[in-house]
Amino acid sequence: MPDIRAIKDYLLTLQTQLCQAIQAFEPSARFIQDPWQRPEGGGGISCILRHGSVFESAGVNFSHVAGGTLPASASSQRLEIAGCRFEALGVSSVIHPSNPYVPTTHMNVRFFIAHKENAAPIWWFGGGFDLTPYYPFLEDVIAWHQTAQKACVPFGEAIYPAYKAWADKYFYLPHRQETRGVGGLFFDDVNTAVWGWDFAQCFAFLQSVGNHFWQAYGPLVTQRHQHPFTSAQRAFQLYRRGRYVEFNLIYDRGTLFGLQSGGRTESILMSLPPQVSWEYQWQPQAGSQEAELTHYLKPRDWI
């Protein structure tokens, strides 16, 4: 039987650690801790920092919710659990820096369990992290993927290639024919049937991904947050943020699950940036830094 108490303890610790790491960059802006309860069952703590000197927006949310029926976004691929009672635990973080040279990033680690009458519960882990640069540095993208690979190595050589490829496929905007960024890791449905791991190994993998997230992202913030930029580069950042909004509102399964399960709207939509813009048929100048971004928006082997 999965140890839900241990999962919850880890997720709350991870939330605290991420908030502390982010807060270390901000001399004046502070996280708001916003506990909430869900009428259908459970609740969470949303930790939100806005309009800092380094981070325009940073959210680190913990939730532990329960309900009588899984929403379609969670059961469409698993028809055998449609209509089951469920619990879902997770930590989700989305960070939108102020400086265009610091990438936006997203991390999520989660656990689902569906309770069937007269049968053993069905459970799985999911999560990952990905990077969305506006003015990318090749060495940063390589380092990001090296750390993602490091999170996976103890669990087998096939893990990183599989979940890197899944991230490339998942974080993709078909209507734009481009990836949301340079990817990272994405996994779902991890249980004893996938890699032959027991619960402890599945849980250990989730923890490895969660623990390596800031190891991958923190150095990029340290190195790039004081990089000089122009108003034109800031405008490009806001324009490209539009792609992030498009993905989260149209395709993101976490957003759909939260809304379909009656989740807290303010916490679900903390992933959206405070400022964003769209331009009609905007095109970068040939040979410009903005044009270089297109080379990063196709899946490739970064390592």
Side-chain angles (χ1 to χ4, degrees), residues 13-34:
T13 298
L14 178 63
Q15 181 188 40
T16 298
Q17 292 172 341
L18 290 177
C19 287
Q20 290 173 344
I22 293 167
Q23 188 67 77
F25 284 91
E26 294 294 349
S28 55
R30 291 290 180 268
F31 271 101
I32 297 171
Q33 289 196 3
D34 187 12

Side-chain angles (χ1 to χ4, degrees), residues 37-42 65-68 86 261-263:
Q37 295 295 317
R38 180 173 174 271
E40 295 84 353
V65 301
F86 75 94
S261 62

Side-chain angles (χ1 to χ4, degrees), residues 128-238:
F129 50 69
D130 66 290
L131 194 71
T132 305
Y134 306 102
Y135 290 95
F137 295 86
L138 180 59
E139 61 267 30
D140 292 356
V141 178
I142 293 172
W144 172 265
H145 278 274
Q146 286 175 334
T147 305
Q149 184 184 51
K150 182 181 175 183
C152 300
V153 163
F155 302 90
E157 294 183 0
I159 306 303
Y160 167 75
Y163 292 150
K164 187 267 185 191
W166 201 347
D168 290 336
K169 181 179 179 181
Y170 180 74
F171 295 109
Y172 184 76
L173 289 83
H175 64 284
R176 298 288 189 180
Q177 296 185 338
E178 63 184 38
T179 56
R180 186 169 79 172
V182 296
L185 299 172
F186 181 88
F187 63 97
D188 207 0
D189 304 319
V190 170
N191 55 30
T192 56
V194 178
W195 299 105
W197 302 338
D198 60 13
F199 168 80
Q201 289 172 299
C202 294
F203 184 27
F205 176 68
L206 181 91
Q207 293 176 78
S208 185
V209 172
N211 295 341
H212 278 84
F213 166 63
W214 195 259
Q215 294 181 35
Y217 187 62
L220 306 186
V221 179
T222 299
Q223 191 168 5
R224 308 297 179 192
H225 78 278
Q226 293 181 318
H227 195 291
F229 64 90
T230 67
S231 58
Q233 290 167 334
R234 167 66 171 169
F236 180 69
Q237 177 195 40
L238 299 186

